[in-house]
Amino acid sequence: MNRPLILVSNDDGITSKGIFTLVSVMKEIGDVIVVAPDSPQSGMGHAITVGETLRLEENFIFKDVKAYECSGTPADCVKMARHFVLKGERQPDIVVSGVNHGSNTSISVLYSGTMSAAIEGAIEGTPAIGFSLCDFNHDADFSHTQEYIKKITLQVLAKGLPKGVALNVNFPAKQAEPLKGIRVCRQANAKWMEDFDVRFDPHGRRYFWMVGNFVNFDKGEDNDEWAIANNYVSVVPCMFDLTAHQSIPVLNEDWDILK
Amino acid sequence: MNRPLILVSNDDGITSKGIFTLVSVMKEIGDVIVVAPDSPQSGMGHAITVGETLRLEENFIFKDVKAYECSGTPADCVKMARHFVLKGERQPDIVVSGVNHGSNTSISVLYSGTMSAAIEGAIEGTPAIGFSLCDFNHDADFSHTQEYIKKITLQVLAKGLPKGVALNVNFPAKQAEPLKGIRVCRQANAKWMEDFDVRFDPHGRRYFWMVGNFVNFDKGEDNDEWAIANNYVSVVPCMFDLTAHQSIPVLNEDWDILK
């Protein structure tokens, strides 16, 4: 392959340290174009902007890389990249998203704007990877991730990905010891136990902050939580077909209301 | 079972005709509590509100049903219902969401706020159903859906659902002929082909509307698009484990970078 064309997006916004890390690695691999949110979009899940207008402006923050900031969600960014910015032109060979400031392991994949950008790539039939670091710090240390981001991206460019699959890659926060390697994992069985912190505004009206604890029910060693806890890079192949295929015959057999 | 406790939410907002339809059916089945967005949330996917505050106020629109309006997304509404409104009390026996004004078949399930409320139910281990009508009209005719909403809800209350599964139920827009029945389906292989309608605001600055055509690649008769096109109610069992399990051995075999 000639130099691949790489579309970069994220959900922390175009000025975050994580996207700078990702762009710097991608420049070593191919030609890069960035379309990313103009402000943080964490927790946006697979939201798209249908009832409101969108803005898109060129942004010069990366100097030698063509970049655009978009007022929409990460999924909007990938759609605008393909169907406006690159319309009628060469389409990306790969979509990469991140590096997210914060974990997107386990159930968090559902709420993840980072992964929604990657899944938009997969919907369009393009190999796609979302990268996340399990460290929320704005000035998080990404230095241990770069070597692996490069390896994984090159591997995906060389081998492709199964149809309809995007990768959810998570890195442990930087430890004293180096990373132990890469594990291909399933999504751990875990969830957030929410609570709501009740406060009152200066006008005496009640408002809430969502808070919560992450609870891991999973005893296995083949899941992403285990990998991260053991200082491995976790790679979960994710799909956008949500059908619980194995449940179709169950319902067809059990339900009286089908005829 | 005694009268079940039914949590109702939606994504079109607490004043939509669709949620009135759903509440009216649920009142025949059990005790109802509503926690729904205070404004339309279409296209919100599985978004949650983490970086901003939330509001929740009692709402008296349903007269004989306890109801709350929430400033957040459909997923937020289900979380607030469980972990604030009903905290320490009896939890719902079932979560129902909708009836959405507009289709949530095929790939639209990913972008659907209606289904994110249902999937939040499934994450908490509660049977959950999202209902959608393939008619965007604010004053859409829901009269053909009520009998089926009742049947399906009673069936789920009687039989339960497989672990981790929520149902995505879609109804065809009202036809001259009655509905033909219910089909348990898989998510059709289809996608949106977006385009961006470029406009200029009164200050001469460019903005965009996302538009698009739905393209169905699926030739099968076992999918939700086929069911809707043939005047059946489609029921797709959906799961929140996004892992492409069959791809794990593929990556483990193909990748050189694992050791």
Side-chain angles (χ1 to χ4, degrees):
Chain A
M1 187 189 289
N2 294 333
R3 277 177 76 78
L5 180 59
I6 304 172
L7 173 61
V8 178
S9 194
N10 80 338
D11 80 346
D12 292 313
I14 198 163
T15 62
S16 68
K17 188 171 176 180
I19 199 169
F20 273 79
T21 303
L22 191 53
V23 166
S24 77
V25 176
M26 292 305 137
K27 282 164 61 181
E28 297 172 18
I29 297 177
D31 297 327
V32 178
I33 182 163
V34 176
V35 182
D38 62 12
S39 61
Q41 296 280 325
S42 292
M44 283 309 277
H46 213 101
I48 52 172
T49 304
V50 286
E52 288 174 37
T53 59
L54 288 163
R55 299 278 185 176
L56 181 85
E57 299 291 346
E58 198 165 352
N59 178 299
F60 302 95
I61 202 168
F62 294 105
K63 298 189 179 79
D64 51 351
V65 167
K66 195 88 166 164
Y68 298 85
E69 58 176 54
C70 172
S71 61
T73 65
D76 292 333
C77 288
V78 174
K79 290 179 184 295
M80 288 207 86
R82 291 190 161 270
H83 299 295
F84 179 75
V85 178
L86 298 174
K87 187 175 181 174
E89 294 181 32
R90 180 183 174 195
Q91 290 291 318
D93 298 297
I94 191 166
V95 176
V96 293
S97 177
V99 180
N100 191 60
H101 294 241
S103 165
N104 278 317
T105 54
S106 176
I107 197 72
S108 302
V109 67
L110 286 188
Y111 307 107
S112 165
T114 303
M115 277 307 294
S116 78
I119 286 175
E120 277 299 314
I123 291 172
E124 298 276 3
T126 308
I129 316 171
F131 293 102
S132 302
L133 175 68
C134 298
D135 183 342
F136 282 99
N137 206 310
H138 269 242
D139 193 30
D141 186 344
F142 289 93
S143 61
H144 58 311
T145 69
Q146 289 165 304
E147 167 198 353
Y148 283 93
I149 291 170
K150 188 169 180 178
K151 264 191 209 174
I152 293 168
T153 305
L154 287 171
Q155 186 83 91
V156 168
L157 283 165
K159 305 268 186 177
L161 282 176
K163 197 167 178 293
V165 165
L167 300 184
N168 181 20
V169 176
N170 280 265
F171 295 99
K174 179 79 180 269
Q175 314 286 325
E177 308 78 49
L179 291 167
K180 285 191 197 147
I182 300 169
R183 288 280 180 120
V184 181
C185 301
R186 62 175 172 79
Q187 173 182 326
N189 176 23
K191 69 169 183 175
W192 290 92
M193 288 281 281
E194 280 86 13
D195 206 350
F196 290 88
D197 185 345
V198 184
R199 301 194 179 188
F200 290 85
D201 71 19
H203 314 289
R205 287 189 61 215
R206 191 176 62 170
Y207 68 97
F208 303 86
W209 287 103
M210 192 188 293
V211 290
N213 290 315
F214 187 74
V215 191
N216 187 359
F217 305 107
D218 207 316
K219 306 274 193 295
E221 301 198 348
D222 56 346
N223 65 71
D224 51 4
E225 288 299 324
W226 185 92
I228 295 298
N230 287 275
N231 209 25
Y232 285 97
V233 181
S234 70
V235 175
V236 178
C238 293
M239 58 195 175
F240 56 81
D241 178 3
L242 304 192
T243 311
H245 289 277
Q246 73 288 1
S247 297
I248 292 177
V250 175
L251 297 183
N252 274 322
E253 216 165 283
D254 275 11
W255 278 20
D256 318 316
I257 57 174
L258 307 170
K259 37 174 185 203
Chain B
M1 186 188 292
N2 293 335
R3 278 177 75 77
L5 179 59
I6 304 172
L7 172 62
V8 178
S9 194
N10 80 340
D11 81 344
D12 291 314
I14 198 162
T15 63
S16 68
K17 189 170 175 179
I19 199 168
F20 273 79
T21 303
L22 192 53
V23 166
S24 76
V25 177
M26 292 305 136
K27 281 164 62 181
E28 298 172 18
I29 298 177
D31 296 328
V32 179
I33 182 162
V34 176
V35 182
D38 60 13
S39 62
Q41 297 280 327
S42 293
M44 284 309 278
H46 213 100
I48 51 171
T49 303
V50 286
E52 287 173 38
T53 59
L54 287 162
R55 298 277 185 177
L56 182 85
E57 299 291 347
E58 198 166 352
N59 177 300
F60 302 95
I61 201 169
F62 295 103
K63 297 188 179 80
D64 50 351
V65 167
K66 196 90 167 163
Y68 298 84
E69 58 177 55
C70 172
S71 62
T73 66
D76 292 334
C77 288
V78 175
K79 289 178 185 295
M80 288 207 85
R82 290 189 163 273
H83 299 294
F84 180 74
V85 178
L86 299 174
K87 188 176 179 173
E89 293 181 32
R90 181 183 173 194
Q91 289 292 318
D93 298 298
I94 190 166
V95 176
V96 294
S97 177
V99 180
N100 192 58
H101 295 240
S103 164
N104 279 317
T105 54
S106 175
I107 197 73
S108 301
V109 67
L110 286 186
Y111 308 108
S112 166
T114 303
M115 277 306 295
S116 79
I119 286 174
E120 276 300 315
I123 292 171
E124 298 276 3
T126 307
I129 317 172
F131 294 102
S132 303
L133 174 67
C134 298
D135 184 341
F136 282 100
N137 205 311
H138 268 243
D139 193 30
D141 185 344
F142 289 93
S143 60
H144 58 312
T145 69
Q146 288 164 304
E147 166 198 353
Y148 284 93
I149 291 171
K150 188 168 180 178
K151 264 192 211 174
I152 293 169
T153 305
L154 287 171
Q155 186 81 91
V156 169
L157 283 165
K159 305 268 186 178
L161 283 177
K163 196 166 178 297
V165 165
L167 300 185
N168 182 19
V169 176
N170 280 265
F171 296 99
K174 179 78 180 271
Q175 315 286 324
E177 308 77 50
L179 291 167
K180 286 191 198 148
I182 300 169
R183 288 280 180 119
V184 181
C185 302
R186 61 175 172 79
Q187 173 182 327
N189 176 24
K191 69 169 182 175
W192 290 91
M193 288 281 280
E194 280 87 13
D195 206 351
F196 290 89
D197 186 344
V198 185
R199 301 194 178 185
F200 290 85
D201 71 20
H203 314 289
R205 287 190 62 215
R206 191 176 63 171
Y207 69 97
F208 303 86
W209 287 103
M210 192 188 294
V211 291
N213 291 313
F214 186 75
V215 191
N216 187 358
F217 305 108
D218 208 316
K219 306 273 193 296
E221 302 199 346
D222 57 346
N223 66 72
D224 51 4
E225 287 298 325
W226 185 93
I228 295 298
N230 288 276
N231 209 25
Y232 286 97
V233 181
S234 70
V235 176
V236 177
C238 294
M239 59 194 175
F240 57 82
D241 178 2
L242 303 192
T243 311
H245 289 277
Q246 74 287 2
S247 297
I248 292 177
V250 176
L251 298 182
N252 274 324
E253 215 165 282
D254 275 11
W255 279 19
D256 317 317
I257 57 174
L258 307 169
K259 36 175 185 203

